[in-house]
Amino acid sequence: MKAEEDHILISALNQFDYCSRRCYLIYCEGQFLQNEHTVEGSILHARTDIPVEVRRGDTRQFRSVWLYSEKYRLHGRADVIEEKDGKIYPVEIKKGRRGDWKNDQLQLCAQALCLEEMLGCGEIETGYIYYAATGRRQEVKLDSRIRQQTIQTIEKVRQLLSKCEKPPSIYGPRCRGCSLYPVCLPRETAKLIKLQ
Ligand code: SF4
């Protein structure tokens, strides 16, 4: 990893927790393919990708905010940062339905870690994930457990990207929704290995 690449993207944490091989393919090999899920996600984010400040009642929304942390050597963009009653917190927008997706929660927590450092504020206790399919928000408590998992994931991603060793392809339920299936070919690779 070059010095200027030492800072990792917040979104890499999400990709890594989804699948370490996918993270490798995107950030080490520069592979990216679209499928229906990634296209839907891009369409959904088209509105929040424009930096703007919006007021909604007693809440101020800042869209498409760049975040960074020198402490964790992270950077990336938050979909939405909100401020209400003197409290500030991140809101991550996802296209699907509410679920216990740790990868989305890690991404949200990493945004909070950046915000805390940038603003010099205390711990941000809560963030939200907005699910477009239902129009509902999931509250995520940014407790010590998720913070620890996020910090551990940051280190795992840094190691993966610095070594650039391709993780093995292991077919699982997540492969069905993965846009990189055509370049990864986990089932086909497993069959080939059996034949050898
Ligand atoms: S196809 Fe499966 S193993 Fe390959 S990158 Fe995608 S999720 Fe990972």
Side-chain angles (χ1 to χ4, degrees):
M1 188 186 291
K2 296 178 205 156
E4 65 270 23
E5 293 169 350
D6 190 39
H7 283 58
I8 59 176
L9 278 166
I10 294 171
S11 54
L13 308 185
N14 193 321
Q15 301 290 354
F16 180 89
D17 196 67
Y18 186 88
C19 170
S20 60
R21 186 170 165 97
R22 180 174 166 87
C23 184
Y24 166 89
L25 290 169
I26 293 172
Y27 297 104
C28 291
E29 289 194 2
Q31 306 266 17
F32 198 77
L33 295 174
Q34 298 280 10
N35 67 3
E36 71 270 30
H37 302 298
T38 61
V39 170
E40 279 177 31
S42 299
I43 292 168
L44 177 66
H45 282 92
R47 197 161 60 109
T48 54
D49 277 353
I50 301 164
V52 68
E53 181 181 335
V54 179
R55 183 171 279 278
R56 296 188 161 215
D58 54 359
T59 303
R60 279 200 303 166
Q61 269 193 351
F62 305 89
R63 294 181 186 162
S64 190
V65 180
W66 276 99
L67 303 174
Y68 68 89
S69 163
E70 289 303 328
K71 180 176 177 184
Y72 297 108
R73 285 173 287 151
L74 271 180
H75 67 109
R77 189 168 52 185
D79 292 330
V80 177
I81 302 296
E82 283 187 356
E83 189 265 321
K84 184 181 180 185
D85 298 332
K87 290 192 173 176
I88 200 151
Y89 48 86
V91 181
E92 181 62 20
I93 296 174
K94 297 295 175 193
K95 72 175 186 63
R97 295 169 181 279
R98 177 180 169 150
D100 193 20
W101 306 119
K102 186 158 68 68
N103 50 333
D104 294 340
Q105 296 179 11
L106 295 176
Q107 187 174 0
L108 190 73
C109 185
Q111 292 169 0
L113 292 175
C114 290
L115 267 178
E116 290 165 5
E117 184 177 321
M118 290 166 68
L119 301 175
C121 60
E123 284 196 357
I124 295 169
E125 294 171 4
T126 306
Y128 295 88
I129 301 174
Y130 171 80
Y131 290 100
T134 56
R136 305 195 125 175
R137 285 184 176 199
Q138 177 187 7
E139 183 181 279
V140 179
K141 292 282 178 205
L142 302 173
D143 56 19
S144 57
R145 183 189 56 87
I146 189 74
R147 284 170 183 270
Q148 200 56 38
Q149 288 176 345
T150 303
I151 292 165
Q152 286 169 355
T153 305
I154 292 167
E155 281 318 306
K156 286 180 190 169
V157 170
R158 180 161 287 112
Q159 279 181 24
L160 174 77
L161 300 189
S162 62
K163 290 183 184 155
C164 266
E165 285 172 6
K166 192 187 276 189
S169 60
I170 299 167
Y171 183 75
R174 291 187 166 188
C175 298
R176 286 198 287 273
C178 177
S179 65
L180 292 180
Y181 190 100
V183 293
C184 179
L185 299 173
R187 268 196 299 198
E188 293 77 359
T189 306
K191 280 184 195 164
L192 202 60
I193 290 169
K194 270 191 192 167
L195 291 174
Q196 288 170 349

